[in-house]
Amino acid sequence: MMKSMTAYARAEKTADEINVSTEIRSYNSRYLDISLRIIHGYNVLEEKIKALIIDKIARGRIEMSLQINDGSDEAYNFEINIPKARAYYDRLVQLKDQLDLHSEITIDLLIREGGVIRSVEIDRDMDAVWPVVRECVDEALNNLVGMRKKEGEFIALDITDRINRIEKSVHLIEKESSDLLYHYQQRLKERIVALTRGMVEIDPERITQEAAFLAGKSDISEEIVRVASHIKQFRTIMKSEEHAGRKLNFLLQELHREFNTMGSKTEKTHVSHTIVEVKSELEKIREQLQNVE
């Protein structure tokens, strides 16, 4: 089954007082490239999250952002900088006396000074957080893979249509190339008559020998057999459950090589035009395969 590499998914899970939300975007890439943005304090979970991604996705640029909100009382801790608060208070009192002010020195004035009260890093209970994170990431990844499969089905339909056209063109090329001996015999006779203006008698046996030699050099039967084999493999891989992108790209290169060889061998104008059309279809398939996992 073919899968696209471009997709988007999100998920959110809540358990007890822990809320986890994630967004995933995937793009084209030759390899699996993971970019993970996770809230500070939970970086220890990064390798576990990447392992979940690797288990479901083989290729593509994966960008994931993960938010974790712990609403429990244990999730937050603050400390008071008493020396700084006392020093700041003493200076406020001094300023009040010197300016003969009668307003009160409130707590608001003290905490307005940065650093009087500050948050303290705590040891988070990753065993409690991880199950929620795993469930959330799993759901998002499953949605992402589902979208990649759906997009892959559209790509597969387009590629299948083009492969069918190529196969019909191969049958046409084979039919047009089946009478090469007669074709070269006639061409040689016409050239000799044109060059000698009919003044030289044509040796039928010699014409046949030369025509057979040219026909042998222009024979594309081996290339046609290999193309048929490649097309059969192409369809098999498209229907299989394995990741198809790299293998299909390799087969596409082989098909391109075979048609290049056919084009260099043939001297029939109609066959040459058909090969040009086939190569145009191969290029369109190549563009589609850039987005296949």
Side-chain angles (χ1 to χ4, degrees), residues 19 82 86 90 99 111 125 156 166 168 178-180 210 245:
N19 175 268
I82 295 297
R86 182 175 288 113
D90 290 344
L99 298 179
I111 62 175
D125 185 0
I166 291 172
K168 290 179 181 178
S178 61
D179 59 346
L180 288 177
E210 292 296 327

Side-chain angles (χ1 to χ4, degrees), residues 34-189:
I34 301 173
S35 173
L36 176 61
R37 298 194 306 275
I38 186 169
I39 190 170
H40 178 70
Y42 294 93
N43 302 84
V44 68
L45 300 177
E46 186 170 333
E47 292 304 315
K48 287 184 176 182
I49 295 170
K50 286 184 177 180
L52 294 177
I53 297 172
I54 293 170
D55 185 55
K56 295 182 182 293
I57 296 174
R59 190 175 172 214
R61 165 77 177 178
I62 307 298
E63 295 182 356
M64 175 186 283
S65 60
L66 192 72
Q67 292 292 326
I68 304 172
N69 296 310
D70 188 344
S72 64
D73 294 338
E74 295 79 12
Y76 302 96
N77 192 19
F78 296 89
E79 68 177 10
I80 303 173
N81 191 334
I82 295 297
K84 184 172 185 178
R86 182 175 288 113
Y88 188 54
Y89 176 80
D90 290 344
R91 293 298 176 268
L92 287 174
V93 170
Q94 183 180 0
L95 182 62
K96 179 181 176 181
D97 292 342
Q98 288 182 356
L99 298 179
D100 194 23
L101 299 175
H102 302 287
S103 59
E104 294 184 5
I105 300 174
T106 65
I107 189 69
D108 291 339
L109 287 174
L110 291 176
I111 62 175
R112 195 174 297 171
E113 170 64 18
V116 172
I117 299 178
R118 61 187 180 187
S119 62
V120 179
E121 191 69 29
I122 63 172
D123 293 331
R124 302 184 184 276
D125 185 0
M126 297 301 169
D127 290 336
V129 172
W130 172 241
V132 191
V133 172
R134 181 179 57 202
E135 186 179 0
C136 183
V137 172
D138 269 337
E139 181 178 314
L141 285 172
N142 289 335
N143 292 339
L144 188 81
V145 170
M147 185 174 179
R148 284 160 70 108
K149 285 181 179 179
K150 188 174 181 179
E151 292 294 324
E153 289 172 2
F154 290 111
I155 295 174
L157 287 173
D158 181 73
I159 291 178
T160 298
D161 185 52
R162 297 187 188 281
I163 286 292
N164 290 339
R165 292 182 207 168
I166 291 172
E167 193 169 44
K168 290 179 181 178
S169 296
V170 172
H171 294 323
L172 179 62
I173 292 170
E174 185 177 21
K175 182 179 178 181
E176 290 289 327
S177 303
S178 61
D179 59 346
L180 288 177
L181 181 59
Y182 176 77
H183 168 75
Y184 282 114
Q185 283 178 331
Q186 293 302 115
R187 198 185 71 170
L188 285 171
K189 288 178 183 178

Side-chain angles (χ1 to χ4, degrees), residues 176-272:
E176 290 289 327
S177 303
S178 61
D179 59 346
L180 288 177
L181 181 59
Y182 176 77
H183 168 75
Y184 282 114
Q185 283 178 331
Q186 293 302 115
R187 198 185 71 170
L188 285 171
K189 288 178 183 178
E190 291 171 1
R191 285 187 177 180
I192 291 171
V193 170
L195 289 171
T196 64
R197 298 181 181 179
M199 298 174 63
V200 174
E201 185 178 351
I202 297 175
D203 182 353
E205 185 177 347
R206 183 63 184 275
I207 289 292
T208 301
Q209 289 176 352
E210 292 296 327
F213 173 74
L214 292 173
K217 289 182 63 178
S218 300
D219 181 51
I220 58 174
S221 58
E222 291 184 6
E223 286 78 10
I224 288 175
V225 169
R226 286 195 291 268
V227 164
S229 175
H230 293 334
I231 289 175
K232 183 178 179 181
Q233 284 183 277
F234 208 96
R235 288 191 173 117
T236 300
I237 293 171
M238 285 180 64
K239 294 177 182 178
S240 70
E241 291 298 322
E242 62 187 65
H243 303 295
R246 288 193 178 94
K247 290 185 178 181
L248 292 180
N249 266 305
F250 172 76
L251 281 176
L252 196 70
Q253 292 173 16
E254 294 300 305
L255 282 167
H256 207 282
R257 186 177 294 112
E258 298 298 345
F259 283 106
N260 276 340
T261 303
M262 290 185 199
S264 65
K265 284 186 174 183
T266 188
E267 293 187 11
K268 287 193 171 184
T269 303
H270 185 62
V271 172
S272 295

